[in-house]
Amino acid sequence: MINDLFSKIDNEHDLTKADICELLTLNDQQQLYILYEKADKIRKKYVGDEVHLRGLIEFSNYCRNNCHYCGLRRDNKSIERYRMTHDEILQVCSLAQKMGFHTIVLQSGEDPYYTVEMMENLIRQIKQNFDMAITLSIGERKRSDYERMFNAGADRFLLRFETSNRQLYAKLHPDSDFNHRIKILTWLKNIGYQTGSGIIVGLPGQSIEDLAEDIMKFKELDLDMIGIGPFICHSKTPLAGSKNGDIELTFKVIALTRIVTKNTHMPSTTAIATLRPNGGMEQALGLGTNVVMPNLTPIKYRALYEIYPSKASIDEVAEQTHVRIIKRINSLGRLISKDYGHSLKKRG
Ligand code: 5AD
Ligand code: SF4
């Protein structure tokens, strides 16, 4: 009975995989409303009303990998590639500081051009010049690289496991091994990074069971941050012609992830804002998420970072996006955080 599951949530009892599967198949609007309300309440109780803004810098769209869903995959010869210089990145950090950001997210494809020495220098300079937490999202490297970048001052690292279905993972990631990826996540935590992961909802071949398993995996990994977005089909990839992920299913996965993991930081992702430009961001903030990552990549590069097509705020300058997002968050009655927005998990 659905009411039994709802009271299990209210009493904060652990949900089983079967419970999660049942809740993921809810379709009744009234019941979905109740589920989202419960996720929102747990968000409020565990991470409060503050929304953390993280300024996103997509500093290189070169990638050595060939993930089947992604427009930046190396075999996509139809995009122009770019790399931002050290100085260009620092300029964006300076802008971010002026705009009041307390975290900068450095994201790129897996681009070995940026050696660990270059990353260390960049991280040190950002830390010297700006009062800012640094999140890295640059893919797989060797363990000593993660250690060196952490010692240089990086605070957080994002590495999605994308799907916990091993067969599907292997099929979609010709260059990456699932077990190794999970191992990297444990390295990152042990090194001391606030560690984030996440998944894509609606990958071709992904089942409801897989998504329930993903949610259990989030909990097992004891993550600090979890990013969840719908699959968006890109025509220049092997998945061309596939259906986009379902936004409602994405919302259910987010709500249940909040209910299960409680005090994690969860972004209202760009993929959501892309599939639902009018109101998607706000909806996700109302059912469990508490982070927004405005895009600060210089306009001349923005359209080239085409993970998927028609990415949200592709031609809007950073200042405009910022004002628009703050207005929309305030209109929800939520506050903009004034601190770094570090993990709320106690470690030690
Ligand atoms: N649709 C949705 N998300 C995607 N990503 C990459 N390609 C797509 C796509 N076509 C996500 C991956 C990656 C993150 C940076 O973007 O989850 O980890
Ligand atoms: Fe490269 Fe990341 Fe895209 Fe995979 S998802 S092709 S690693 S940019």
Side-chain angles (χ1 to χ4, degrees), residues 67-72 107-108 137 158-162 173 181 198-201 203 227 229-234 237 239 244 271 305-309:
C67 306
H68 280 204
Y69 42 78
C70 178
L72 302 189
Q107 186 168 80
S108 67
S137 176
L158 304 176
L159 187 71
R160 291 184 174 186
F161 62 77
E162 316 289 3
H173 304 97
R181 186 155 277 227
I199 56 159
I200 305 178
V201 176
L203 287 166
F231 165 67
I232 303 175
C233 178
H234 192 299
T237 67
L239 297 182
N244 284 339
Y305 204 84
E306 200 193 45
I307 300 176
Y308 43 75

Side-chain angles (χ1 to χ4, degrees), residues 164-183:
S164 60
N165 175 329
R166 319 283 171 118
Q167 287 77 36
L168 186 60
Y169 189 92
K171 195 170 145 195
L172 297 177
H173 304 97
D175 324 271
S176 160
D177 173 74
F178 181 81
N179 289 337
H180 184 62
R181 186 155 277 227
I182 297 296
K183 188 153 142 209

Side-chain angles (χ1 to χ4, degrees), residues 8 78 100 115 154 236 243 250 270:
K8 224 170 161 179
S78 65
T115 60
K236 296 286 169 35
K243 251 180 45 205
T250 307
T270 310

Side-chain angles (χ1 to χ4, degrees), residues 45-139:
K45 173 172 170 190
Y46 285 91
V47 299
D49 276 335
E50 291 194 338
V51 174
H52 302 280
L53 299 182
R54 325 288 201 194
L56 177 65
I57 311 179
E58 299 156 328
F59 67 93
S60 161
N61 71 350
Y62 280 84
C63 189
R64 64 175 171 190
N65 289 346
N66 236 344
C67 306
H68 280 204
Y69 42 78
C70 178
L72 302 189
R73 64 200 306 276
R74 67 167 184 270
D75 282 355
N76 182 8
K77 307 289 184 209
S78 65
I79 56 167
E80 188 189 325
R81 305 279 172 168
Y82 72 89
R83 290 186 174 111
M84 287 173 63
T85 64
H86 196 98
D87 286 347
E88 281 179 310
I89 298 171
L90 287 173
Q91 271 170 28
V92 180
C93 291
S94 165
L95 174 75
Q97 173 113 318
K98 287 196 194 95
M99 289 166 67
F101 284 93
H102 305 291
T103 294
I104 203 80
V105 182
L106 297 175
Q107 186 168 80
S108 67
E110 274 189 27
D111 184 2
Y113 167 89
Y114 296 88
T115 60
V116 66
E117 288 79 15
M118 285 165 77
M119 292 307 298
E120 283 174 316
N121 281 335
L122 181 62
I123 292 161
R124 281 203 197 96
Q125 281 216 15
I126 294 174
K127 284 287 181 175
Q128 268 162 26
N129 291 289
F130 310 104
D131 181 22
M132 200 98 78
I134 298 178
T135 304
L136 300 175
S137 176
I138 60 173

Side-chain angles (χ1 to χ4, degrees), residues 221-280:
L221 290 169
D222 190 25
L223 298 162
D224 301 286
M225 305 166 288
I226 303 171
I228 297 167
F231 165 67
I232 303 175
C233 178
H234 192 299
S235 65
K236 296 286 169 35
T237 67
L239 297 182
S242 308
K243 251 180 45 205
N244 284 339
D246 180 75
I247 193 100
E248 202 65 53
L249 181 59
T250 307
F251 288 155
K252 286 185 250 185
V253 175
I254 290 174
L256 285 163
T257 299
R258 169 59 71 201
I259 288 166
V260 167
T261 68
K262 312 265 189 272
N263 61 354
T264 43
H265 284 308
M266 295 179 60
S268 177
T269 52
T270 310
I272 294 171
T274 300
L275 277 196
R276 189 167 285 177
N278 295 315

